[in-house]
Amino acid sequence: MMENAWIIPLFPLLSFLFLLLFGKRLKETSAYIGMLFTLLSFIYSLVVLFDRFSNPTYKAEATWLTIGDVQLTAGFEINQLNALMLVIVSLVSFLVHTYSKGYMHGDDRFHVFYAYLGLFTFAMLGLVISPNLLQTYIFWELVGAGSFLLIGFYFYKEEAKAAAKKAFIMTRIGDVGLLIGMILLFWQVGSFEYDEIFQAVEAGSVSAGMVTLTAILIFVGAVGKSGQFPLHTWLPDAMEGPTPVSALIHAATMVAAGVYLVAALFPLFTASETALMVVAIIGAVTAIFAASIGLVQKDIKRVLAYSTVSQLGYMMLALGSAGYVAGVFHLMTHAFFKALLFLAAGSVIHAVHTQNIEEMGGLWKKLRITGPLFLIGTLAISGVPLFSGFFSKDEILIAAWAHGNTVLFWLAVIAAFFTAFYMFRLFFMVFSGNARSEMKNVHESPSVMTFPMIVLGILAVVAGYVNTPWFGTFLGDWLVDGNEALGHGHIEGPAWIMIVATVVSLLGIFLAWMMYGKRSISRDWLSSRMPIVYGILYNKYYIDEFYQLSVVNATKFFSYLFHYIEKFLVEGIVKGITGVVQGLGRIGSKIQSGQIQGYGAMAFVGLALLLVIFAITGGYLK
């Protein structure tokens, strides 16, 4: 079945094309078209995954372009990593398609939304099966285009337009690094093929300095796509898109593309300890940086957005600590519980018509399905034992400790405490106590919205067990099978790490309960005692303001400077030369009267002048 895996991305592409042509007539029936095609992709992805369990990696390519002696190929590859990613992406996409039927009901551009979902899903599925960097880059940019369309879907809102442009530009900054890294690798290796790049690096054909440089440049692309510091500011603003978009982009697909890229090129990164350290440091800093901002945010979707940035930082920390399995494992579990949290948040917004958690409360009794499912997602992301996040987060902490990144390990532990606190702060403010504003006609979402959440809720609980010895083997053993460069399938660590991680998570939950559940500690404790710290966190460390004052204003200054240079200097010189030429032309046009007698007179005068000149200078000429 792997031989025909190239069909998987074509299903959502057909959905996109069909809805683009006929969606306006179909109206909300478009949902069934989108759901059907993504379901086909998911079913085929499952078949391919099971086929990969018992068969080796399959790769098929054909010559695309020939330039001199260089041949560029296009094709697909099915290995352990992208077989798993195919299932994750297609499953979450199918569930988001299903959920959107209820959430987007009544929207005037319903069919356009589903067409965009199909385009985005096609791009992401095409990205994960690409066998070379050039093909990856093509789909990488197409993913960016799809996210631009989805984030800016409500184009009539200024905030949505600004968010879409911001996401597009910020990720393009990272893409420049990726493009330069690709070009340098091609210059050194003579190929974009992953296999040939890894072989050249292993053989020492690429110098150590060039390996480090290219790995870091490629990581810059991953920083942009996965919202890592300092290119993270687009991701929270992307919440201006419809909530199902947030679940799709910020759970399993676009933001995971950066993590996937580092994992796919892991043998390149492991060849440079410096590159690994850069990845680990950026990941750890991003994890605690974003988690601290999430402590005080009041928009339910922005809390989850900063949570996503933080969890992606965890994944990068794992990969930078040579924990390939830990990073991929957390990517998988996070896809399920974060998609669940976003869809549950959408269900809350659908019920109360506000995103401000200060205006919510008391929804546990009113949203009988959404409430428990949101709690499951919150327990999973907080790393509570027996939930999926507990297993994958422990793998990351063990990887960081085993690699000797002690400082980064403790930063990750503190970030785990922050995560448990702000997530249960969110849960208690939304679902416990009494409503803090007037809410009318609050009711549970329809089954078409709750069904995807139930599926994700089950996965948020059980997904972690695939990397335990309970089934005879670890997921990691399969992920690294046949490739020594990927490291060990499972790293054994001291038991105290699991105990510390559990205690820290429970302490965060307990503190959130004391402040927002039981309310025995003032909610305004931080803002009243340390208003400066609170202001910094609430205003996201003023990073956006810094970019506005520096990059944006500098760009505007030089833009206006060059505009006025062009307008008054360059155009002035051009206009001056043009005026002189036109003036000479006008004088010449007066001389050219078109009368024969005039030309004869001029010829006579000219001849007379020549004779005079000859007479005067005749002596000298002799």
Side-chain angles (χ1 to χ4, degrees):
M1 298 302 293
M2 288 191 291
E3 296 177 2
N4 297 313
W6 58 272
I7 296 175
I8 294 173
L10 295 186
F11 290 123
L13 176 62
L14 290 174
S15 168
F16 166 69
L17 295 174
F18 188 84
L19 294 179
L20 208 61
L21 295 172
F22 307 108
K24 196 168 185 179
R25 299 178 189 174
L26 295 172
K27 297 181 180 178
E28 298 202 3
T29 310
S30 302
Y32 296 107
I33 302 297
M35 290 160 59
L36 173 63
F37 281 110
T38 49
L39 178 61
L40 291 173
S41 289
F42 170 60
I43 293 172
Y44 207 124
S45 297
L46 271 180
V47 173
V48 168
L49 177 66
F50 286 122
D51 195 18
R52 183 60 190 78
F53 282 141
S54 56
N55 291 298
T57 294
Y58 182 85
K59 182 178 179 180
E61 288 186 297
T63 301
W64 176 26
L65 291 173
T66 301
I67 306 172
D69 296 332
V70 178
Q71 284 191 339
L72 301 179
T73 60
F76 69 97
E77 181 178 13
I78 301 298
N79 54 35
Q80 296 98 308
L81 175 62
N82 56 29
L84 180 63
M85 285 297 297
L86 283 174
V87 173
I88 294 172
V89 173
S90 59
L91 173 59
V92 174
S93 179
F94 168 66
L95 295 175
V96 168
H97 273 76
T98 305
Y99 177 94
S100 299
K101 185 181 183 302
Y103 190 89
M104 299 299 292
H105 173 67
D107 194 284
D108 292 337
R109 300 171 66 236
F110 188 93
H111 68 284
V112 176
F113 180 78
Y114 269 87
Y116 290 169
L117 285 182
L119 175 65
F120 182 87
T121 305
F122 157 69
M124 192 65 202
L125 291 172
L127 188 153
V128 299
I129 63 172
S130 296
N132 58 66
L133 270 173
L134 181 60
Q135 193 172 325
T136 296
Y137 188 77
I138 292 171
F139 283 107
W140 183 273
E141 294 301 324
L142 193 56
V143 166
S147 67
F148 172 80
L149 295 172
L150 287 168
I151 293 169
F153 181 74
Y154 297 132
F155 62 89
Y156 46 84
K157 294 169 58 178
E158 290 298 325
E159 298 84 358
K161 287 194 291 186
K165 288 189 288 185
K166 187 175 184 179
F168 196 78
I169 293 170
M170 292 293 285
T171 53
R172 290 297 79 69
I173 294 171
D175 293 352
V176 172
L178 172 59
L179 181 60
I180 296 173
M182 284 172 48
I183 294 171
L184 289 177
L185 277 175
F186 184 80
W187 175 47
Q188 293 291 306
V189 180
S191 174
F192 289 112
E193 300 297 315
Y194 289 137
D195 295 340
E196 294 186 27
I197 291 171
F198 300 153
Q199 290 170 8
V201 171
E202 186 179 0
S205 302
V206 184
S207 66
M210 186 59 71
V211 169
T212 299
L213 176 61
T214 53
I216 291 175
L217 285 169
I218 287 171
F219 177 62
V220 170
V223 166
K225 218 68 156 185
S226 289
Q228 299 294 280
F229 179 86
L231 300 180
H232 65 283
T233 56
W234 70 268
L235 203 151
D237 286 4
M239 296 299 106
E240 293 296 335
T243 301
V245 172
S246 304
L248 183 63
I249 291 179
H250 305 117
T253 53
M254 177 177 171
V255 294
V259 178
Y260 170 80
L261 182 66
V262 176
L265 288 164
F266 196 69
L268 174 68
F269 283 87
T270 54
S272 170
E273 194 62 38
T274 302
L276 280 181
M277 184 54 67
V278 169
V279 174
I281 291 173
I282 293 295
V285 169
T286 302
I288 194 167
F289 169 82
S292 64
I293 296 175
L295 296 172
V296 298
Q297 297 303 305
K298 298 178 181 179
D299 185 305
I300 186 172
K301 288 175 65 177
R302 286 184 179 268
V303 173
L304 296 178
Y306 280 106
S307 169
T308 300
V309 175
S310 180
Q311 296 303 306
L312 291 166
Y314 265 110
M315 298 173 208
M316 292 300 188
L317 170 60
L319 293 171
S321 301
Y324 174 83
V325 171
V328 174
F329 183 33
H330 196 60
L331 188 156
M332 181 189 73
T333 59
H334 175 264
F336 299 139
F337 60 67
K338 183 53 63 66
L340 168 63
L341 287 167
F342 269 116
L343 294 186
S347 180
V348 170
I349 296 168
H350 185 263
V352 300
H353 307 292
T354 181
Q355 295 180 199
N356 189 348
I357 59 177
E358 294 282 0
E359 300 174 4
M360 300 180 191
L363 294 178
W364 182 264
K365 296 179 180 178
K366 297 179 180 179
L367 302 179
R368 298 282 187 175
I369 300 176
T370 300
L373 289 171
F374 196 97
L375 178 60
I376 289 172
T378 305
L379 290 166
I381 196 174
S382 300
V384 174
L386 304 182
F387 290 84
S388 61
F390 165 77
F391 298 101
S392 57
K393 192 171 288 187
D394 272 9
E395 287 279 347
I396 294 173
L397 295 175
I398 291 171
W401 181 264
H403 199 250
N405 297 335
T406 308
V407 174
L408 304 183
F409 166 83
W410 288 110
L411 285 178
V413 170
I414 297 171
F417 171 78
F418 286 170
T419 300
F421 174 79
Y422 71 68
M423 285 306 303
F424 272 89
R425 166 184 176 264
L426 177 63
F427 175 78
F428 288 128
M429 290 189 71
V430 172
F431 292 100
S432 69
N434 299 314
R436 288 178 290 278
S437 64
E438 185 178 355
M439 296 183 183
K440 297 180 180 180
N441 302 320
V442 176
H443 56 82
E444 186 57 86
S445 299
S447 58
V448 73
M449 293 172 64
T450 56
F451 167 73
M453 292 192 291
I454 293 171
V455 174
L456 290 168
I458 295 170
L459 292 171
V461 176
V462 305
Y465 295 101
V466 299
N467 201 41
T468 65
W470 299 1
F471 298 98
T473 185
F474 291 92
L475 169 71
D477 295 331
W478 173 72
L479 282 173
V480 303
D481 183 38
N483 194 339
E484 295 180 0
L486 301 180
H488 299 287
H490 178 68
I491 303 174
E492 293 293 338
W496 64 264
I497 292 180
M498 180 183 69
I499 296 171
V500 167
T502 303
V503 169
V504 162
S505 294
L506 294 177
L507 282 175
I509 295 170
F510 177 73
L511 180 59
W513 177 71
M514 292 292 288
M515 292 181 68
Y516 300 96
K518 189 178 179 182
R519 299 179 185 175
S520 56
I521 300 177
S522 172
R523 285 175 46 188
D524 302 325
W525 181 86
L526 180 63
S527 59
S528 60
R529 299 196 179 191
M530 292 184 284
I532 296 177
V533 175
Y534 177 85
I536 291 172
L537 295 179
Y538 186 73
N539 289 287
K540 302 155 285 189
Y541 291 91
Y542 296 98
I543 299 293
D544 279 302
E545 288 76 6
F546 171 74
Y547 286 160
Q548 180 68 37
L549 289 173
S550 57
V551 179
V552 176
N553 286 348
T555 303
K556 286 183 177 179
F557 171 77
F558 285 109
S559 298
Y560 281 117
L561 176 64
F562 292 136
H563 169 71
Y564 288 121
I565 288 175
E566 180 187 11
K567 184 175 182 180
F568 295 109
L569 184 60
V570 177
E571 289 187 8
I573 294 173
V574 171
K575 287 180 179 179
I577 295 172
T578 303
V580 171
V581 172
Q582 287 178 340
L584 292 173
R586 282 192 292 269
I587 294 172
S589 66
K590 292 179 180 179
I591 295 174
Q592 301 295 327
S593 63
Q595 295 179 353
I596 295 176
Q597 61 271 31
Y599 294 154
M602 290 297 297
F604 179 78
V605 171
L607 179 60
L609 286 173
L610 287 173
L611 289 173
V612 171
I613 293 171
F614 179 77
I616 294 173
T617 60
Y620 296 103
L621 291 174
K622 292 178 180 178

